[in-house]
Amino acid sequence: MKNTIFTFKDNSPKYKQIYEKFKSFIEQGDIKADEPLPSIRQLADSLHVSRNTTLMAYEQLVAEGYIRGEGRKGYFVNELEPLLFQEARSSSTHKQTESVPPVRIDFRADVVDQSHFPLKTWRRISNQVLTEKDSFRYGEPFGELCLREQIAAYILQSRGVRTDPNAVIIGSSTQQMLLYLGLVLKHDFSSMIVEDPGYDGAREAFRLNGFTLETLPVYETGADLSHLEHMKSRLIYVTPSHHSPYGVSMPIQQRHALIRWANKMQGYIIEDDYDSEFRYSQKPFPALASIDSARVIYLGNFSKSFLPGIRLTYMVLPELVLHRYKKHFTHFESPTSLFSQLTMAKFMQLGEWNRHVKRMRLVYKRKMLHLVSELKKQFGQNISIIGEQSGLYVLIKLHLNRSEEWFIQRAFSYGVNVCPTSLYFIKNKTDHPIIKLGFSHLSCEEIGLGVGLLKKAWM
């Protein structure tokens, strides 16, 4: 074995540092198979450590299969498959030498504004909740009653949805709720209508439950409901208040037509109302569930409007579906945090939720207007802006003879991260690439800088 020099660091136990050094030598081939290692005493003397320290290092190497002990003969290196470690070294070297430009501006759409988050208020309420007895138990399987009561009151006031708190189900995410819901519905339904383009996460949840998917075409001006006449499915998943991704809202005539279709087919509409709070030109539209609660399964969440990491989603179920859902999942534990539920319930009860939504609507409106203004100033007629009336992102259709991948890579080379939209489309493809720009977490200065960099990258 080659002469080894150890330089011990203060932030890790010495036995662990010895173990890691020998492990590295063996993986890199510096110590060959069947080569003997120094005895415990020799190694301890040379490193000026106790014998117990070197013994612990060797025992760890033995336990993981790197070396073996042969009685009085000592310790020897085991034979290892070299390919694994060669590939790991090659990959590591490649990553180190590959030049990756730093991201200066990130137009991602899955974050919220940190600077206006009510941190002190949320922390104060969280600390209060932690002193309460209810925080030290397992949660109710369908969500805490205190939160379900607050949600029922909120969606009545904001979305016109009248429901009993017992019909509200609390979950961790839209996909989780759709997976559970699909397990219940697939006993009576085998296929599902989804929007095209539409939320890809919902499609994957439906596919995982074995649903056959039919597609309803949606355009920048809205959905084409005439296609429903030729479809066999009796279930449909829609985002009527803020279509994903186009951002268009379904007019009242289409909402009534969709309700009539559901009643005629004896089916259900799954209404995903994922960020209805942020509409900038008019008040938020009433939900589909406010028109007919018997045929609409209503979903909402706190991720887009409050905090993605809180993992709180809710669902309002019609009576028949509710009965079956509870029968299926009575013996399952709640998939979301009890602590988050209790804190959010108190947050809403104290009026902080409504104050937060009103405040953020103004903040996001200002950012939206600034982004749209900068895009028009920098790109003019070379782009079309889609979805500027609501939501936390805009789409830009680029009237340039390039691919979506080219636009994304060029932007990245200038330190700007932008999002694709091709993942939303199934058959209803567009004539020009469409790029998604989220703005919620960016300042107006960052938005201006980002759009300027995109101009340099693309024009």
Side-chain angles (χ1 to χ4, degrees), residues 12 33 78 104 133 159 242 277 325 365 374 396-397:
S12 177
N78 285 328
R104 298 172 63 187
K133 186 177 180 180
R159 311 296 294 120
H242 183 237
E277 287 86 3
Y325 188 96
K365 179 178 181 179
E374 288 294 312
I396 54 172
K397 180 183 284 189

Side-chain angles (χ1 to χ4, degrees), residues 79-91:
E79 185 173 358
L80 299 178
E81 174 59 55
L83 183 61
L84 174 65
F85 303 111
Q86 289 173 3
E87 288 179 347
R89 289 202 305 273
S90 174
S91 174

Side-chain angles (χ1 to χ4, degrees), residues 14-16 18-19 22 38-44 47 49-63 67 75:
K14 288 183 179 180
Y15 87 88
K16 187 175 181 181
I18 296 170
Y19 149 77
F22 274 95
S39 70
I40 291 173
R41 186 186 65 185
Q42 290 173 333
L43 185 60
L47 298 179
V49 297
S50 70
R51 296 181 186 179
N52 190 50
T53 297
T54 54
L55 175 62
M56 290 174 66
Y58 276 10
E59 285 179 341
Q60 185 66 33
L61 290 166
V62 170
I67 65 175
Y75 292 91

Side-chain angles (χ1 to χ4, degrees), residues 174-175 177-179 181-182 185-186 190-195 199-213 235-238 270:
T174 299
Q175 280 187 304
M177 298 292 259
L178 292 176
L179 275 172
L181 181 64
L185 294 176
K186 70 180 183 180
S190 60
S191 62
M192 173 88 64
I193 300 169
V194 295
E195 297 169 317
Y199 174 40
D200 58 311
R203 291 200 303 265
E204 292 308 310
F206 299 141
R207 286 195 180 108
L208 198 57
N209 269 314
F211 286 101
T212 301
L213 300 184
L235 292 174
I236 185 170
Y237 168 84
V238 290
I270 302 174

Side-chain angles (χ1 to χ4, degrees), residues 304-429:
K304 302 290 189 297
S305 49
F306 188 66
L307 187 66
I310 198 173
R311 311 316 294 151
L312 279 179
T313 302
Y314 52 91
M315 178 168 59
V316 179
L317 296 178
E319 185 175 354
L320 182 58
V321 180
L322 177 67
H323 174 73
R324 293 179 179 176
Y325 188 96
K326 289 191 172 182
K327 184 178 179 181
H328 269 74
F329 298 109
T330 295
H331 302 294
F332 281 67
E333 293 182 2
S334 173
T336 193
S337 161
L338 168 66
F339 180 62
S340 295
Q341 291 185 61
L342 296 176
T343 306
M344 178 55 75
K346 184 78 70 175
F347 190 78
M348 298 178 79
Q349 181 187 358
L350 295 174
E352 296 295 342
W353 170 252
N354 283 331
R355 280 190 281 274
H356 174 73
V357 169
K358 289 178 181 178
R359 179 170 60 249
M360 296 314 299
R361 191 178 291 133
L362 294 174
V363 169
Y364 290 143
K365 179 178 181 179
R366 183 171 68 250
K367 293 184 180 186
M368 171 72 86
L369 291 173
H370 187 68
L371 175 57
V372 170
S373 174
E374 288 294 312
L375 287 169
K376 288 179 178 178
K377 181 171 67 175
Q378 296 287 356
F379 289 96
Q381 300 301 312
N382 291 304
I383 64 169
S384 298
I385 300 174
I386 305 169
E388 60 185 284
Q389 303 301 321
S390 58
L392 303 180
Y393 64 84
V394 296
L395 304 183
I396 54 172
K397 180 183 284 189
L398 291 134
H399 306 299
L400 300 168
N401 190 26
R402 299 286 187 176
S403 67
E404 177 188 82
E405 183 180 2
W406 184 89
F407 286 115
I408 292 172
Q409 291 299 326
R410 284 285 294 178
F412 191 72
S413 69
Y414 277 75
V416 183
N417 184 48
V418 298
C419 304
T421 61
S422 54
L423 69 166
Y424 299 112
F425 292 82
I426 306 173
K427 302 175 184 176
N428 189 26
K429 307 292 185 179

Side-chain angles (χ1 to χ4, degrees), residues 225 228 238 240 250-264 269 286-292 295-296:
L225 297 186
L228 292 177
V238 290
M250 188 177 288
I252 190 63
Q253 294 84 358
Q254 283 196 331
R255 290 170 184 251
H256 285 161
L258 200 53
I259 294 291
R260 288 195 299 271
W261 171 86
N263 281 302
K264 176 184 176 183
I269 302 164
L288 271 172
S290 69
I291 303 173
D292 187 343
R295 289 292 165 192
V296 179

